[in-house]
Amino acid sequence: MLVNADLHIHSCFSMATSKDMLINNIAPKSKEKGLNLVGTGDAFHPGWLNIIEESTEYKGDGVYSKDDCDFILTTEVEGKSRIHHLIFIPTIEIARELSDKLVSKNKNSDGRPRTKMDGAEILEMVKEYDCMIGPAHAFTPWTGMYKSFDSIYDCYDKKPDFIELGLSADTNMADTVSELQDFVFLSNSDAHSPWPHRLGREFNQIEMDDISYSSLKKAIKNKKVTKNYGLYPNLGKYHMTACTKCHKLIDPELAKEDKMKCTCGGKIKKGVDYRINEISSWKEPHHPEHRPDYVHLMPMAEIISTIYDKGVTTKFVQGKWQKLVDAFGPEITILINTPIEEIEKIDLETSKAIEAFRNGTVNVIPGGGGKYGEISFDEKLIPRETESIDNRLTLDNF
C-alpha cells in the first residue's frame, strides 16, 4: 500500500510551537491534508507521552490512532554542537525508558531536548531499542549535521537509517554528494502548527505492507520511498548565503572575505546551496537506481494566499481552501491528481497556479538568511538585493 507520511512535526511542548499542536487537532487536519501516517514529535517529553496515551487508541506494532489518523512515535534531539537528530521509536514504553536514559537538563520543559551526547552516542543508545535515527534537516546552517561535518560517518561513526533533506534542499542537490548514494532521503514538514500550510508541507510517499512500525522500518531499510514531495528548495529560508539582519543575498566567497559580517552589521549565514557545493562530488546529480522522483509543490493555502495577496490564515484564504477540500477531498489529492478543469470550476486562479506547479513554470526569488523565498505564477519578481564580488568591485571603482 502507498502511504503519505509526514514523520517530523512538533507538539505544543516545543519552543515556538502553537498551543494547538495537540493530537485532537493534528489528527483531523492530517486527514484533510491527505496524510495517512504522522510522526508524533517530542516523544521524549513525559507530558506529551501522557497526552498521546490519553488521546489515541493503541493499534499495536507501534501505531497510535485517532479519528482514522495513524501516528508513530518520533522525536528530535539536539545533540553536541547543536546538531539535530530525528528518531523513530517503537512504543511509548521504550520512549519513556530512553527519555530516562537521556542526559538532558530541559527534557521536561521542552519537547526538543538538548544533550551533550554526540551523534555516535545517541545512535548507539537508541539502536539498543530498535529505533531508527538520521540527521534532521541535514544541510541547514544552524542545526544541520553537515554544518559541522564533511561526512555523515564523522558524525555517527556508523551508517544511520536515513537522511532528512530539510526545506532548503531536494534530491537533485543531495545527490551531488557521493556518500549519500545508498541512503534513503526523507522530506518532512517540521511543522510547528496544525495549519494546512504547515502540516504536510513536505511529505513522503512510501510503499508499506501495512501501517505499522515494523513495516515502516522494513520500507526504509529496503528503500521503498516511492516519491518525495516538497517545496522548491530555493524557497527555503536558508537556501542561499545571506545576512540574517537585512536578508541581502551575498556571494559566499565575499562573505568569507568579510568574516561572515554584513556591511549592515548583521551576521551572514552560509546557505544550503553553497554548503552542498563545498561537500559535493559532482556538479550534476547522480541519482541511484532506487532514488524516487522529487515532486515540487506548495501548500494550497500558500498558493491561494499568493494569488489573492491575502494573509494565509485569513478567513478569505481558509474559506477558499475549505471549499476546494469539501469539493474534491484531501489537499494532497487536489495538488497532485484532481483534473485542472475540475478545479477551475471552483477557483479558476487557483487552478492556474496548481497547473503551473505541475508544469514547473513558476518564478522564484530564492530565500536566505532566515527569510523564505518568494514565488509568482504569472510575472517576473523583482530580485532580492545581492552583493557579489563583481558588483562590489564596480562600486569601489566608481
Side-chain angles (χ1 to χ4, degrees):
M1 63 187 296
L2 289 176
V3 175
N4 292 331
D6 182 358
L7 301 172
H8 182 180
I9 69 169
H10 288 279
S11 76
C12 58
F13 290 99
S14 280
M15 289 181 61
T17 302
S18 169
K19 67 182 186 306
D20 295 323
M21 282 301 267
L22 297 163
I23 296 293
N24 290 344
N25 296 324
I26 298 167
K29 291 301 181 183
S30 296
K31 189 175 179 180
E32 285 188 308
K33 190 77 178 187
L35 297 169
N36 312 113
L37 182 62
V38 181
T40 60
D42 300 355
F44 284 169
H45 191 284
W48 183 231
L49 289 175
N50 290 339
I51 289 175
I52 293 169
E53 276 193 315
E54 295 164 2
S55 305
T56 65
E57 175 189 356
Y58 184 54
K59 292 173 65 174
D61 201 351
V63 175
Y64 299 80
S65 295
K66 172 71 176 180
D67 296 337
D68 297 324
C69 179
D70 292 327
F71 294 87
I72 64 159
L73 299 169
T74 64
T75 191
E76 185 181 27
V77 172
E78 182 176 299
K80 186 178 179 180
S81 302
R82 293 197 64 204
I83 293 171
H84 286 193
H85 308 273
L86 180 61
I87 304 167
F88 305 157
I89 308 162
T91 65
I92 282 180
E93 291 73 26
I94 288 174
R96 286 202 169 102
E97 191 166 343
L98 281 168
S99 180
D100 288 341
K101 290 185 71 172
L102 185 74
V103 179
S104 171
K105 292 182 179 180
N106 75 326
K107 63 185 175 185
N108 294 321
S109 59
D110 191 346
R112 187 198 296 111
R114 294 189 302 273
T115 179
K116 294 181 180 179
M117 298 171 69
D118 63 25
E121 291 171 317
I122 296 170
L123 183 149
E124 286 297 323
M125 181 182 77
V126 303
K127 280 295 183 179
E128 291 180 16
Y129 293 83
D130 195 34
C131 296
M132 291 178 274
I133 184 172
H137 37 74
F139 304 101
T140 52
W142 292 105
T143 55
M145 179 270 301
Y146 277 114
K147 80 175 175 68
S148 297
F149 296 98
D150 290 338
S151 171
I152 192 169
Y153 297 99
D154 291 337
C155 177
Y156 293 103
D157 288 346
K158 299 177 181 177
K159 182 184 178 186
D161 297 286
F162 56 81
I163 294 281
E164 185 185 60
L165 297 172
L167 302 185
S168 294
D170 66 2
T171 297
N172 284 332
M173 297 172 67
D175 268 339
T176 64
V177 181
S178 61
E179 72 170 4
L180 300 182
Q181 291 284 285
D182 194 44
F183 280 86
V184 165
F185 293 162
L186 296 181
S187 46
N188 301 306
S189 71
D190 198 358
H192 286 212
S193 81
W195 285 101
H197 65 288
R198 295 296 186 224
L199 195 64
R201 59 183 167 178
E202 298 204 346
F203 66 96
N204 314 275
Q205 187 181 78
I206 308 175
E207 179 66 46
M208 297 172 60
D209 296 335
D210 54 37
I211 295 183
S212 64
Y213 182 85
S214 58
S215 182
L216 176 64
K217 186 176 181 181
K218 178 182 175 183
I220 289 176
K221 179 180 179 181
N222 294 329
K223 303 179 177 66
K224 293 296 184 179
V225 175
T226 60
K227 276 192 176 65
N228 295 106
Y229 291 91
L231 300 172
Y232 283 103
N234 49 1
L235 285 172
K237 59 183 180 180
Y238 295 110
H239 181 75
M240 299 291 284
T241 300
C243 176
T244 57
K245 183 179 179 181
C246 71
H247 303 299
K248 178 169 57 180
L249 303 180
I250 299 172
D251 184 299
E253 296 299 329
L254 187 60
K256 286 194 288 187
E257 281 186 19
D258 291 339
K259 298 181 179 179
M260 307 306 282
K261 282 287 187 181
C262 182
T263 52
C264 77
K267 185 176 182 180
I268 300 169
K269 208 65 183 169
K270 184 187 293 184
V272 169
D273 177 70
Y274 187 68
R275 179 59 184 141
I276 290 179
N277 179 67
E278 288 182 320
I279 60 173
S280 64
S281 310
W282 312 291
K283 290 186 177 181
E284 297 297 325
H286 285 50
H287 299 306
E289 193 171 318
H290 67 86
R291 186 75 67 225
D293 291 338
Y294 193 107
V295 180
H296 296 113
L297 45 66
M298 187 178 188
M300 193 162 65
E302 293 274 11
I303 291 174
I304 296 167
S305 172
T306 301
I307 293 167
Y308 291 101
D309 195 24
K310 303 281 187 180
V312 71
T313 59
T314 60
K315 288 184 178 180
F316 178 90
V317 170
Q318 293 301 312
K320 283 189 171 291
W321 180 89
Q322 193 67 56
K323 190 173 181 180
L324 286 162
V325 169
D326 290 343
F328 302 116
E331 177 183 322
I332 289 171
T333 299
I334 298 171
L335 291 172
I336 298 169
N337 296 321
T338 302
I340 295 299
E341 58 269 22
E342 293 299 313
I343 301 173
E344 66 185 20
K345 293 176 183 177
I346 304 292
D347 191 322
L348 177 61
E349 296 305 315
T350 299
S351 73
K352 291 178 182 177
I354 292 173
E355 186 174 29
F357 264 97
R358 292 182 187 179
N359 296 336
T361 57
V362 295
N363 302 305
V364 178
I365 292 177
K371 181 180 179 181
Y372 285 107
E374 300 174 51
I375 199 163
S376 173
F377 301 102
D378 53 10
E379 60 184 19
K380 297 289 184 183
L381 291 161
I382 300 172
R384 280 172 67 176
E385 184 182 356
T386 304
E387 186 169 0
S388 67
I389 291 174
D390 287 343
N391 70 25
R392 178 176 283 192
L393 287 172
T394 302
L395 290 170
D396 287 346
N397 292 336
F398 181 72

